[in-house]
Amino acid sequence: MATPKTNKHRFASYIGGVANPVAPAFTVLPAITGTARVGQVLTASAGTVTGTPTPTVDRHWHANGVGIPGAYGTTYTPVADDIGKTITVRTRAQSLAGRLTVTSAATAAVIAA
């Protein structure tokens, strides 16, 4: 006779799921490279994320801790409104096992072109 745990593993295998999911974790935090200057591209590294199943990762850029509307993805180009503000990127990793959001170190204050 199968135990409830055995049945759970069989069912997870049948539906293509993961029997023992592991929540996302960052072993290397995301970082920003580039010069914080109007018109210069900043790039966010993904960092290193672990978890089972493999988490999806997304990024949202922030100026002085406030989300920048429409600024999602691996790159951001500062604009005049960013002058004097520091830029960070919040990276979220999520899977059926959980969600984790981390914030990069801030750039220097954005300067004019």
Side-chain angles (χ1 to χ4, degrees), residues 22-25 49-57 93-95 98:
V22 176
V49 171
T50 61
T52 305
T54 302
T56 59
V57 175
Q94 68 180 20
S95 71

Side-chain angles (χ1 to χ4, degrees), residues 11 15-17 23 26 29-30 34-35 46 50 63 65 73 77 84-85 102 106 109 111:
F11 182 72
I15 63 169
F26 282 88
L29 293 176
T35 302
T50 61
T77 303
K85 299 175 183 175
V102 297
I111 58 176

Side-chain angles (χ1 to χ4, degrees), residues 14 19-20 23 31 34 43-44 59 77:
Y14 175 74
N20 295 309
T43 302
R59 295 163 197 80
T77 303

Side-chain angles (χ1 to χ4, degrees), residues 33-49:
T33 57
T35 302
R37 179 186 309 252
V38 172
Q40 297 289 319
V41 176
L42 299 174
T43 302
S45 69
T48 303
V49 171

Side-chain angles (χ1 to χ4, degrees), residues 1-95:
M1 182 170 156
T3 66
K5 186 174 183 178
T6 302
N7 285 336
K8 180 180 175 184
H9 287 273
R10 286 181 184 161
F11 182 72
S13 291
Y14 175 74
I15 63 169
V18 176
N20 295 309
V22 176
F26 282 88
T27 56
V28 176
L29 293 176
I32 298 173
T33 57
T35 302
R37 179 186 309 252
V38 172
Q40 297 289 319
V41 176
L42 299 174
T43 302
S45 69
T48 303
V49 171
T50 61
T52 305
T54 302
T56 59
V57 175
D58 59 58
R59 295 163 197 80
H60 187 195
W61 294 85
H62 290 70
N64 280 358
V66 177
I68 301 168
Y72 297 92
T74 57
T75 62
Y76 175 68
T77 303
V79 297
D81 284 347
D82 296 324
I83 293 174
K85 299 175 183 175
T86 59
I87 304 295
T88 56
V89 64
R90 289 190 186 162
T91 303
R92 180 178 62 183
Q94 68 180 20
S95 71

